[in-house]
């Protein structure tokens, strides 16, 4: 797959020079700061030194006072509280966080995660019935609920109140809950709109804690769960998210909860954002995908190490099964695309009745790696077809689905990821309509993947001092990604070789054509570029700089993103 290299606009030189002078920085870090909207000393201080004092007052969120008073009334009257959450990482961490906090004040508490297969996403009638049959009078819904108008009404008829803590895009009609906490509501003046579901849950905990006049230190240990949710849910690492992620990673590295300690394992290297995205998140998610999300909640709220180890082994088993299913279904989907002659379509829509509902979202993302276009993967779910939809960078798949709504029973989600259900007889009509919508609305420039380059950086200019400053740009994530650099006239020093079980990756040692400094480098999925590299002719690279930890030693290496 050919990637387009796009250079970010370079900031005005006077701003870069100002930052260099005020912060005593070299040109490259100053340029990177200006590209991130940081133009003076104070903004840089906030960026480089995230402070808990930068967290907003939770009572700025619409309905927060109502939510807190309702929870406190439940404590006072010894009401039973049901903590209800989605089955993904954001939901299960949010439920675990709320449970761990509230159990200090009441024992009349239970957690509930809907079954992905029998109940589906969001609040279910079955969940409300469970609450009613077991005497719960208050449900706190986390990472879901904003669209569950009928279910909230159904609960109300049974004498059950709802507090909704959600971050998904609301519809025009909002459920009639006691309190709806969602910064994306048009009439909510909360300053930061990009919280994840667990983040909204944390704001409720912060507000309760503040009302009870307890110190913030009492809830700070819960930020490890918020950090995991931020990493897993791919929300922007800006503003309040950046602060919570910074302190959450600190806890993950120093004193994580028992469940997360066991899941992480003790490898001796620092836990970073990538360890959440590619390590913790898939493991936690696998519970809800393969068996049930409550397995994750039980591990994340466990206080006994021996019990946590046993629960983590179950999660590892689920994750192993999930990986096998991913690979099998992805291959079957690719075969289907080729058999139907759909390689050149504008969109991917595939279906098989036996595909596992828990992994079709992962498969949709994998298919985009082969056919770079909006993708919807369907499977049979009861009497209907259920799907996960994934988008390409820059394209709003939620809006595309809205244009197909005549053929959809139900859908919800984000700009880049959504879930939907349709009736079987509507599959062909949906597929045709979705293809038409994408063909008409997907701009040409979004039809192939891009590598966005921050700035030029010859290899000769790389040194440990600069890297130490770049490390302070962490934690990385959406809207604060690791800097990507460009260098030309690069050569390999003769040690290039293919690595990996199918020779798909490259191991290199690179230097500038006339330079003296050389750097070990790795290029994932660039094995096919070996001949170009070994030709002896200079080439161009886009790359990032990272630390390589090996045998107790730490050194700088280049992570090459593309070569030409």
């Amino acid at each position: 797959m050919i990637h387009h290299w796009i250079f970010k606009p370079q900031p005005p030189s006077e701003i870069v020079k100002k930052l260099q002078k005020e912060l005593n920085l070299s040109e490259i870090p100053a340029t990177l700061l200006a590209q991130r909207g940081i133009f003076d000393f104070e903004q840089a201080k906030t960026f480089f030194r995230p402070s808990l004092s930068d967290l907003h007052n939770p009572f700025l969120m619409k309905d927060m006072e109502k939510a807190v008073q309702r929870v406190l009334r439940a404590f006072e009257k010894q009401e039973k509280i049901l903590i209800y959450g989605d089955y993904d990482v954001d939901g299960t961490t949010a439920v675990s966080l709320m449970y761990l906090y509230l159990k200090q004040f009441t024992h009349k508490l239970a957690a509930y995660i809907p079954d992905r297969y029998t109940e589906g996403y969001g609040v279910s009638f079955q969940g409300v019935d469970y609450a009613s049959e077991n005497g719960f009078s208050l449900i706190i819904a986390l990472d879901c609920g904003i669209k569950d108008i009928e279910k909230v009404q159904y609960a109300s008829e049974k004498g059950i109140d709802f507090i909704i803590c959600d971050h998904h895009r609301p519809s025009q009609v909002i459920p009639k809950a006691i309190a709806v906490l969602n910064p994306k509501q048009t009439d909510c003046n909360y300053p930061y709109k990009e919280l994840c579901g667990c983040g909204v849950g944390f704001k409720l905990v912060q507000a309760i804690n503040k009302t009870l006049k307890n110190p913030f230190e009492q809830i700070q240990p819960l930020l490890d769960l918020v950090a995991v949710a931020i990493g897993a849910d791919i929300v922007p690492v800006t503003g309040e998210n950046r602060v919570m992620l910074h302190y959450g990673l600190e806890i993950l590295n120093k004193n994580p909860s028992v469940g997360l300690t066991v899941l992480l394992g003790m490898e001796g290297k620092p836990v970073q954002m990538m360890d959440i995205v590619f390590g913790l998140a898939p493991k936690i998610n696998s519970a809800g995908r393969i068996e049930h999300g409550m397995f994750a909640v039980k591990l994340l709220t466990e206080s006994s190490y021996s019990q946590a180890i046993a629960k983590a082994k179950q999660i590892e088993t689920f994750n192993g099964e999930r990986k096998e299913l991913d690979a099998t279904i992805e291959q079957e989907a690719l075969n289907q695309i080729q058999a139907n002659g759909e390689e050149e379509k504008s969109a991917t829509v595939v279906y098989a009745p036996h595909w596992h509902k828990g992994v079709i979202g992962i498969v949709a993302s994998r298919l985009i790696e082969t056919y770079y276009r909006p993708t919807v993967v369907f499977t049979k779910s009861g009497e209907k077809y259920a799907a996960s939809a994934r988008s390409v960078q820059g394209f709003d798949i939620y809006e595309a689905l809205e244009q197909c709504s005549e053929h959809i029973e139900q859908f919800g989600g984000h700009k880049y990821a959504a879930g939907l259900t349709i009736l079987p007889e509507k599959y062909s009509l949906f597929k045709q309509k979705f293809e038409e919508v994408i063909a008409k609305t997907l701009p040409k420039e979004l039809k192939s993947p891009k590598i966005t380059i921050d700035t030029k950086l010859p290899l000769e200019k790389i040194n440990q001092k600069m890297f130490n400053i770049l490390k302070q740009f962490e934690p990385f994530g959406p809207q604060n990604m690791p800097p990507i650099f460009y260098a030309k006239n690069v050569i390999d020093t003769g040690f290039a070789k293919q690595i990996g079980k199918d020779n798909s990756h490259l191991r290199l040692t690179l230097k500038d054509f006339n330079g003296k400094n050389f750097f070990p480098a790795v290029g994932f999925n660039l094995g096919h570029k070996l001949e170009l590299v070994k030709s002896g002719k200079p080439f161009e690279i886009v790359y990032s700089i990272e630390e390589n930890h090996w045998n107790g030693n730490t050194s700088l290496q280049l992570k090459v993103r593309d070569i030409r």
Side-chain angles (χ1 to χ4, degrees):
M1 192 181 292
I2 295 171
H3 290 76
H4 289 286
W5 298 7
I6 309 289
F7 280 90
K8 282 186 185 174
Q10 295 303 291
S13 60
E14 59 270 21
I15 290 176
V16 174
K17 284 173 182 167
K18 179 181 177 228
L19 286 168
Q20 283 184 256
K21 187 178 177 184
E22 286 184 6
L23 301 167
N24 191 25
L25 290 176
S26 63
E27 183 183 355
I28 296 296
T31 299
L32 297 171
L33 281 175
Q35 285 173 327
R36 283 156 175 73
I38 294 156
F39 303 132
D40 59 37
F41 179 85
E42 283 304 316
Q43 289 174 322
K45 184 181 169 188
T46 302
F47 180 78
F48 282 132
R49 301 286 180 266
S51 168
L52 291 168
S53 63
D54 297 330
L55 295 179
H56 300 299
N57 179 350
F59 288 100
L60 294 174
M61 197 176 292
K62 183 180 183 238
D63 282 359
M64 186 62 81
E65 183 65 47
K66 291 179 189 173
V68 170
Q69 292 308 318
R70 183 64 187 88
V71 172
L72 294 180
R73 195 170 94 219
F75 291 168
E76 189 186 324
K77 297 195 171 180
Q78 303 234 314
E79 294 176 68
K80 292 180 78 175
I81 304 172
L82 187 65
I83 306 169
Y84 189 112
D86 185 28
Y87 38 66
D88 70 359
V89 179
D90 196 11
T92 52
T93 52
V95 167
S96 302
L97 177 146
M98 191 63 65
Y99 182 87
L100 287 169
Y101 181 72
L102 295 187
K103 76 171 189 175
Q104 301 171 80
F105 309 103
T106 177
H107 64 279
K108 298 198 167 185
L109 196 63
Y112 189 97
I113 305 287
D115 186 283
R116 184 189 284 262
Y117 306 104
T118 60
E119 295 171 77
Y121 170 76
V123 179
S124 67
F125 288 115
Q126 193 176 321
V128 175
D129 286 340
Y130 172 87
S132 177
E133 288 158 13
N134 289 279
F136 290 92
S137 52
L138 175 61
I139 297 176
I140 302 175
L142 296 143
D143 191 36
C144 62
I146 196 65
K147 287 196 164 188
D148 293 313
I149 296 154
E150 291 175 13
K151 280 91 169 202
V152 172
Q153 179 61 34
Y154 180 66
S156 180
E157 288 163 9
K158 289 179 171 286
I160 301 168
D161 288 340
F162 251 95
I163 294 170
I164 293 170
C165 303
D166 205 348
H167 71 123
H168 295 96
R169 202 184 297 190
S171 301
Q172 287 185 326
V173 182
I174 304 293
K176 289 187 169 64
I178 288 291
V180 178
L181 307 178
N182 185 335
K184 289 194 177 84
Q185 291 179 92
T186 52
D187 58 347
C188 178
N189 295 321
Y190 193 72
Y192 190 71
K193 304 292 183 184
E194 301 299 336
L195 296 170
C196 60
C198 188
V200 178
F202 183 79
K203 298 309 293 188
L204 174 55
V205 162
Q206 188 187 355
I208 297 167
N209 202 60
K210 194 170 182 167
T211 303
L212 294 173
K213 296 186 166 50
N214 291 326
F216 187 86
E217 287 72 24
Q218 193 163 325
I219 60 171
Q220 193 169 336
L222 297 170
L223 285 172
D224 60 356
L225 289 165
V226 183
V228 172
I230 289 169
D233 224 50
I234 319 178
V235 289
V237 178
T238 57
E240 204 163 29
N241 281 343
R242 182 176 164 80
V243 176
M244 292 192 288
L245 180 58
H246 173 87
Y247 284 92
L249 282 167
E250 205 170 76
I251 295 159
L252 279 171
N253 278 293
K254 290 179 181 173
N255 189 25
S257 63
V258 174
L260 288 174
T261 300
V262 173
L263 269 188
L264 278 166
M266 289 293 107
E267 294 180 23
K269 71 183 184 74
V271 179
Q272 296 176 313
M273 182 66 150
M274 290 301 101
D275 300 301
I276 294 173
V277 176
F278 297 110
L280 283 174
K283 289 177 185 177
I284 295 168
N285 250 337
S286 68
R289 292 186 189 283
I290 302 301
E291 194 63 39
H292 199 285
M294 274 307 295
F295 281 91
V297 172
K298 284 175 180 172
L299 172 61
L300 295 174
T301 55
E302 183 56 69
S303 57
S304 154
Y305 272 98
S306 59
Q307 290 293 315
I309 288 165
K311 290 180 168 108
K313 280 180 181 170
Q314 286 179 312
I315 298 275
E316 295 285 1
T317 303
F318 298 149
N319 198 37
E321 193 177 331
R322 188 268 307 165
K323 286 179 183 176
E324 287 177 22
L325 285 165
D326 287 357
T328 304
I329 297 171
E330 182 190 359
Q331 193 54 56
E332 288 179 12
L334 289 169
N335 293 345
Q336 188 179 124
I337 292 164
Q338 288 155 11
N340 293 339
E342 294 174 343
E343 296 97 322
E344 302 302 319
K345 290 269 191 182
S346 296
T348 297
V349 180
V350 287
Y351 162 76
H354 63 279
W355 288 345
H356 197 289
K357 190 180 172 188
V359 299
I360 54 176
I362 300 170
V363 172
S365 297
R366 294 268 167 81
L367 292 176
I368 290 174
E369 292 173 17
T370 304
Y371 299 105
Y372 192 76
R373 59 203 190 194
T375 297
V376 186
V377 180
F378 280 95
T379 187
K380 200 166 193 305
S381 179
E383 298 302 309
K384 297 178 183 179
Y385 289 1
S388 279
R390 296 292 183 270
S391 192
V392 297
Q393 190 179 348
F395 184 74
D396 193 329
I397 203 162
Y398 188 93
E399 284 186 5
L401 290 172
E402 279 188 323
Q403 294 181 56
C404 305
S405 57
E406 65 199 281
H407 306 303
I408 300 174
E409 287 285 288
Q410 193 179 358
F411 76 99
H414 306 284
K415 180 176 181 177
Y416 291 123
L420 62 148
T421 54
I422 63 171
L423 296 172
E425 60 269 24
K426 293 278 193 177
Y427 175 72
S428 296
L429 292 167
F430 170 83
K431 183 169 180 171
Q432 184 182 338
K433 178 70 174 178
F434 188 72
E435 169 68 23
E436 287 170 9
V437 168
I438 301 302
K440 193 168 61 182
T441 60
L442 182 66
K444 187 181 177 184
E445 64 270 17
L446 299 185
K447 290 183 179 178
S448 56
K450 294 175 180 58
I451 298 177
T452 304
I453 301 161
D454 289 82
T455 192
K456 296 175 183 177
L457 179 62
L459 306 192
E460 277 293 293
K461 289 192 175 180
I462 299 171
N463 56 47
Q464 188 65 48
K465 182 183 176 185
M466 177 194 287
F467 182 75
N468 290 343
I469 294 168
L470 295 184
K471 269 186 77 69
Q472 294 182 52
F473 281 64
E474 296 177 7
F476 294 125
Q479 297 185 29
N480 184 43
M481 297 301 282
I484 305 287
F485 302 110
Y486 164 86
K488 63 180 180 178
N489 291 326
V490 173
I491 57 168
D492 180 72
T493 55
F495 298 101
K497 64 176 182 177
Q498 292 173 326
I499 57 170
K501 60 182 178 183
D502 51 1
N503 287 334
S504 59
H505 312 309
L506 276 185
R507 172 76 65 194
L508 312 143
T509 306
L510 301 177
K511 73 182 196 76
D512 290 325
F513 186 67
N514 293 315
K516 294 172 186 167
N517 297 346
F518 55 86
F519 292 90
V522 62
F524 293 108
N525 300 311
L526 293 175
H528 60 288
K529 302 271 190 178
L530 181 65
E531 291 309 310
L532 183 157
V533 168
K534 289 179 81 76
S535 69
K537 294 175 184 173
F539 46 85
E540 301 170 284
I541 62 169
V542 285
Y543 68 98
S544 52
I545 312 168
E546 59 186 16
E547 281 180 328
N548 183 32
H549 301 271
W550 180 251
N551 278 349
N553 297 316
T554 301
S555 59
L556 296 184
Q557 77 169 10
L558 310 184
K559 184 176 181 180
V560 180
R561 308 299 179 107
D562 203 6
I563 301 172
R564 69 183 184 194

